[in-house]
Amino acid sequence: MWNLIYTVISVLSTLPLSIVAPEATLVFVGDAMQHQAQLDKALEIGKDEYDYSECFNLISTAISEADYAVCNLEVPLGGGPDYSGYPCFSAPDSYAESLKEAGFDMLLTANNHCLDRRGKAAKRTLNALDSLQIDHIGTFRSVEERDSLAPYIKDINGFKIAFLNYTYGTNGIKPDEGIEVALIDKEKIKSEIAKARARGAEIIVVAMHWGIEYVLIENNVQDELADFLIDNGVDMIIGSHPHVVQPMKVVHNENENKDVLVVYSLGNFISNMKTADTRGGAMVWATLTRDEEGRARFKDAEYEILFAAKPEGKRNFRVIPGWLEDSVPIYQKQHWEIFKRGSLKVFDQHNVNVPRHKNFSL
């Protein structure tokens, strides 16, 4: 037996590292909203509690099969009983619990709605996520906590990956109770990227809450910030906030001789928004690998579109992936077709080396 094991190890040691090295797949989706109609339906279904069990059952397999899955939680978990939708969101803990059960490993909390219920609810959100054992990044209980926790570094399938999350603002609400929000500040971002490398991160993922709402193409500010992040050595840039999809591209960093994934906006993951372009979003699979010298690298990416179906009868809101479009309720087929045409037009015309996902057997 030992001779066989020794022989296998000897053979593997002679193979190029790129053949035997593992890969890792990360999945990202956009904004998890919680409008009043979503709250009302969840309570109707759950009777005396908020039930989201049906919302993600058509997408959970794809999410769970990734090595690590990330979603933007664009609502504070304010605690009951006065939950609310737009303009000042507050959702029950069961919403975050349902996202975890769907397969998400990390929830992003730096966004323009994170202080909707002020610092008290922002802190409560972090406590709730910790209680549910869901990773999170973007807001902190104090400056000192940010200094100790950011960047968030995770070992994923043998890759040491750092996650950072920043927002352009908080709708004019100033932090209180010591809460710390990671705002887009170039000097701070540069410092935390450097800290990630110093702490041994092989891959750096930066989630940016940026851009202009409802605009399907990125603007000059997003482009300039993306260039800044690339110049500072990040490997993936994942955007949110516009509530509509924006292009994705793979850019080559000449200085470090590596490819970088830039996703300007993943749109809405789930919401009650009504205009055609806001009826859904996209999910992105990003694969990591190692080169022949053993260095971790972003390898490639692909996407699929997602539709947020509204409730019909006893059915709750549901996220429906493109490969299951037959599951779109009959009275929403036209909305789906309009959303699909608009989203695919953006990606077909503007994506660079990020194709649509071809494996529809998930």
Side-chain angles (χ1 to χ4, degrees):
M1 174 63 73
W2 287 110
N3 287 337
L4 176 60
I5 294 173
Y6 177 79
T7 300
V8 171
I9 293 174
S10 298
V11 170
L12 289 175
S13 67
T14 65
L15 294 174
L17 185 58
S18 59
I19 294 178
V20 300
E23 291 189 342
T25 302
L26 308 184
V27 160
F28 302 91
V29 303
D31 305 330
M33 311 297 294
Q34 190 65 189
H35 292 97
Q36 190 61 50
Q38 294 170 269
L39 289 163
D40 293 344
K41 193 64 180 181
L43 186 58
E44 175 189 325
I45 291 173
K47 308 299 183 190
D48 56 351
E49 61 184 24
Y50 291 83
D51 186 344
Y52 300 97
S53 58
E54 189 182 23
C55 294
F56 312 115
N57 60 2
L58 295 180
I59 193 71
S60 60
T61 298
I63 295 167
S64 299
E65 286 184 350
D67 293 303
Y68 201 73
V70 181
C71 175
N72 175 44
L73 180 66
E74 197 149 356
V75 290
L77 306 174
D82 57 336
Y83 301 116
S84 60
Y86 182 85
C88 288
F89 292 103
S90 179
D93 295 355
S94 58
Y95 186 52
E97 187 174 2
S98 70
L99 290 168
K100 178 183 178 179
E101 290 174 351
F104 288 106
D105 303 286
M106 170 175 276
L107 297 180
L108 306 172
T109 59
N111 53 64
N112 59 305
H113 287 289
C114 65
L115 295 181
D116 278 5
R117 292 296 187 92
R118 308 305 192 269
K120 182 178 180 180
K123 283 187 177 182
R124 191 191 175 286
T125 301
L126 302 179
N127 293 337
L129 296 180
D130 285 342
S131 178
L132 292 169
Q133 297 184 316
I134 303 175
D135 298 341
H136 54 85
I137 190 72
T139 57
F140 309 88
R141 298 173 183 88
S142 65
V143 173
E144 292 76 18
E145 184 177 71
R146 179 178 182 176
D147 290 340
S148 66
L149 296 183
Y152 187 90
I153 299 179
K154 187 88 173 180
D155 188 301
I156 302 171
N157 205 26
F159 294 87
K160 198 169 184 180
I161 304 174
F163 294 88
L164 292 163
N165 176 210
Y166 304 96
T167 179
Y168 74 92
T170 56
N171 292 343
I173 303 173
K174 294 183 178 181
D176 59 2
E177 300 200 12
I179 200 75
E180 171 76 0
V181 179
L183 298 174
I184 295 175
D185 176 305
K186 285 185 177 180
E187 288 305 312
K188 189 66 174 178
I189 293 173
K190 186 175 181 178
S191 171
E192 291 184 336
I193 290 172
K195 186 188 293 186
R197 292 297 184 201
R199 292 182 179 178
E202 300 177 283
I203 296 290
I204 298 178
V205 179
V206 180
M208 301 289 283
H209 205 71
W210 60 1
I212 306 299
E213 289 182 322
Y214 318 123
V215 177
L216 291 163
I217 303 297
E218 74 276 8
N219 60 25
N220 291 336
V221 174
Q222 289 168 278
D223 274 332
E224 193 272 333
L225 281 169
D227 289 343
F228 166 79
L229 293 170
I230 293 168
D231 290 343
N232 278 278
V234 308
D235 299 275
M236 285 185 270
I237 302 166
I238 307 297
S240 61
H241 175 61
H243 299 301
V244 296
V245 299
Q246 291 181 344
M248 316 167 184
K249 62 183 180 180
V250 176
V251 179
H252 192 70
N253 181 335
E254 297 288 349
N255 293 330
E256 298 190 14
N257 190 28
K258 67 179 184 181
D259 287 338
V260 179
L261 174 65
V262 182
V263 177
Y264 287 105
S265 174
L266 286 171
N268 287 328
F269 178 54
I270 189 168
S271 81
N272 187 45
M273 289 189 174
K274 296 177 174 61
T275 57
D277 293 333
T278 65
R279 288 296 304 270
M283 65 187 302
V284 171
W285 292 260
T287 303
L288 306 179
T289 190
R290 294 190 182 277
D291 64 19
E292 293 182 353
E293 297 179 9
R295 294 173 298 188
R297 290 287 187 259
F298 160 74
K299 179 184 178 183
D300 54 35
E302 52 190 3
Y303 76 90
E304 181 54 280
I305 54 175
L306 308 172
F307 183 68
K310 298 188 186 301
E312 292 189 1
K314 295 182 179 181
R315 279 240 140 108
N316 205 337
F317 287 81
R318 287 183 298 158
V319 178
I320 301 177
W323 64 83
L324 293 177
E325 62 179 305
D326 288 345
S327 298
V328 174
I330 188 169
Y331 295 111
Q332 298 181 54
K333 293 286 188 182
Q334 184 177 6
H335 298 283
W336 156 251
E337 290 296 336
I338 295 172
F339 167 75
K340 180 173 72 170
R341 284 198 302 269
S343 299
L344 294 182
K345 182 178 180 180
V346 170
F347 295 143
D348 290 345
Q349 292 184 354
H350 300 284
N351 275 19
V352 179
N353 294 324
V354 183
R356 191 176 180 189
H357 191 51
K358 294 299 190 294
N359 182 12
F360 293 99
S361 63
L362 285 172

